[in-house]
Amino acid sequence: MPQASADAASCPSPIAFGLTTALTGNLALLGTQARNGAEFAVDEINAGGGIAGKKIALTTEDTGASSTDALNAMDRIIDGKPLVIFGSMISPHVFAQTDAVTKSGTPFLVGATNAKITAQGSKWLFRTHVHDGQLADLIPQYLVKTLGKTKPGIMAVADDYGLGASKGIQAALAKLNVAPAAVTSYAPSDKDMSAQLLEIKDKGADSLILFGRPADVALVMKQMGDLGIKLTLIGNSSVVAQTTLNNLSSDEADGGYAIGGMIPQTSTDPKILDWARRVQDKYKVPADNFTVAYYDTVYIVKSIIEKVGCDKAAIRDALAATKDWKGLLISYQADASGDLAHTLGIYRNNGRTPALIGPIKEAGY
């Protein structure tokens, strides 16, 4: 028997995976993408016979919208003693969970985008989605050097995710000798951002850098239209996410730029487009960059288990050694911090249809 088969054959049946993500509350629109990507991959793998003949049992716990609920959800997952745990893309939740997962000695794979997520000192934590540290460098560069804008306003959601990105963007603008016209934020639950938008307009901004999540980004873009504010808009991938565009008119969405994770709908590969259609048919929600990342993450884990079996430390070491692993849209390579994603896309909305201008890579990759 080949060594890989022998290692994987020693795994329990079923092989337990855990996932915590927001399925209810104001973050559910985003959190379901983690569930959709991971579950779709698990279902595919199980339909194909599992891993070395062993099926995967995925247990999912809802984090809701609070960090306390996220920690409680993680405690329930850890009690089930899963082989690996997937955390969501909601950075405050992952910050709250990391210590508990680290103490459990379980590989922890997340899409959370605050740059400091992988700076917590946990050797068990890995990230398989691009982060706002990368975006904070690349968005100002593209806005200033390519689009020629020099008086941007900044608007970000007021949590660890958005405020961390805002600080990074301000630092990157300073390196370009550009001062923002205004720096504003809004609470995750806010429904009216008109005061912030009017401040940015009144201070003479020529553009808007927007960092948020699909539900609130759609509100900002809609309110820009309502207020007649016409500024070059660039932000994270929420600006071009299908879940955002579904809530906007063509005029409200048109012209928005984004840099972020790779979106399947902009691919020219029939296999990728077919995959995106199948995900939407199953969940009635368009696949986004997070769906792709979590789908790929499950397959990365599958390939590692096939090589090293179900020893948690061996899985962790193999994750840290990941190099040129080809996913749906990008290749993954682990750096010293545990970040595996280093390729991003530049997008622009043509009406309500996002188009890929081209890929862009983090410096050094």
Side-chain angles (χ1 to χ4, degrees):
M1 179 182 289
Q3 184 62 39
S5 297
D7 286 337
S10 66
C11 291
S13 182
I15 299 172
F17 287 3
L19 166 67
T20 69
T21 190
L23 299 175
T24 58
N26 65 315
L27 299 175
L29 183 64
L30 191 60
T32 53
Q33 297 287 5
R35 189 275 315 273
N36 295 354
E39 185 180 274
F40 199 78
V42 166
D43 288 349
E44 274 188 351
I45 292 167
N46 284 342
I51 303 174
K54 309 289 179 68
K55 296 294 180 71
I56 300 169
L58 177 66
T59 300
T60 302
E61 289 284 350
D62 179 14
T63 62
S66 82
S67 295
T68 299
D69 289 343
L71 181 55
N72 291 335
M74 182 57 74
D75 287 341
R76 293 192 295 272
I77 287 292
I78 291 171
D79 285 345
K81 296 182 168 45
L83 181 66
V84 297
I85 298 173
F86 307 100
S88 80
M89 72 289 289
I90 309 301
S91 297
H93 295 183
V94 173
F95 279 123
Q97 296 171 330
T98 299
D99 188 51
V101 183
T102 300
K103 287 178 179 175
S104 76
T106 308
F108 188 30
L109 299 109
V110 306
T113 54
N114 185 297
K116 295 179 180 177
I117 285 288
T118 50
Q120 297 181 81
S122 173
K123 64 182 180 181
W124 295 96
L125 175 65
F126 298 88
R127 173 164 44 199
T128 51
H129 189 274
V130 296
H131 60 81
D132 59 73
Q134 296 159 327
L135 301 186
D137 283 337
L138 295 171
I139 287 174
Q141 286 183 35
Y142 189 77
L143 180 66
V144 175
K145 293 183 177 180
T146 302
L147 299 181
K149 302 300 180 181
T150 57
K151 291 187 67 180
I154 300 172
M155 184 184 293
V157 62
D159 60 16
D160 284 336
Y161 164 61
L163 296 180
S166 181
K167 287 180 183 177
I169 288 164
Q170 292 171 61
L173 287 170
K175 291 178 184 176
L176 296 165
N177 296 313
V178 170
V183 178
T184 64
S185 64
Y186 56 86
S189 57
D190 282 356
K191 302 299 182 190
D192 183 3
M193 292 77 160
S194 57
Q196 294 94 321
L197 287 167
L198 289 169
E199 178 187 352
I200 288 167
K201 178 187 177 184
D202 291 345
K203 290 189 175 178
D206 62 5
S207 52
L208 173 61
I209 300 175
L210 176 61
F211 247 81
R213 301 189 173 93
D216 46 82
V217 165
L219 282 174
V220 173
M221 294 173 73
K222 186 176 287 291
Q223 287 167 19
M224 285 180 72
D226 292 343
L227 294 167
I229 295 175
K230 303 250 182 224
L231 296 174
T232 296
L233 173 69
I234 188 168
N236 62 322
S237 56
S238 293
V239 172
V240 296
Q242 201 63 48
T243 44
T244 299
L245 300 176
N246 286 350
N247 292 305
L248 298 174
S249 70
S250 181
D251 285 346
E252 290 164 344
D254 188 57
Y257 288 90
I259 295 179
M262 303 298 279
I263 299 171
Q265 291 85 357
T266 63
S267 174
T268 56
D269 184 340
K271 291 181 181 178
I272 301 298
L273 295 174
D274 176 67
W275 176 87
R277 280 192 294 269
R278 287 188 288 116
V279 171
Q280 175 145 2
D281 287 346
K282 180 169 184 175
Y283 296 108
K284 312 307 177 191
V285 176
D288 70 356
N289 45 298
F290 287 110
T291 320
V292 171
Y294 282 84
Y295 178 86
D296 283 347
T297 301
V298 172
Y299 273 97
I300 290 171
V301 172
K302 173 181 181 286
S303 68
I304 286 172
I305 292 172
E306 288 172 341
K307 292 177 182 176
V308 306
C310 286
D311 178 80
K312 289 183 179 181
I315 293 170
R316 177 201 64 206
D317 292 348
L319 283 165
T322 300
K323 186 175 182 180
D324 297 328
W325 194 94
K326 289 181 173 52
L328 276 177
L329 294 168
I330 68 169
S331 291
Y332 296 83
Q333 179 170 326
D335 65 16
S337 298
D339 280 305
L340 277 74
H342 307 281
T343 302
L344 304 85
I346 305 169
Y347 303 95
R348 184 182 185 276
N349 287 331
N350 294 329
R352 297 170 69 213
T353 302
L356 178 66
I357 295 173
I360 186 170
K361 292 193 175 186
E362 179 184 358
Y365 292 89

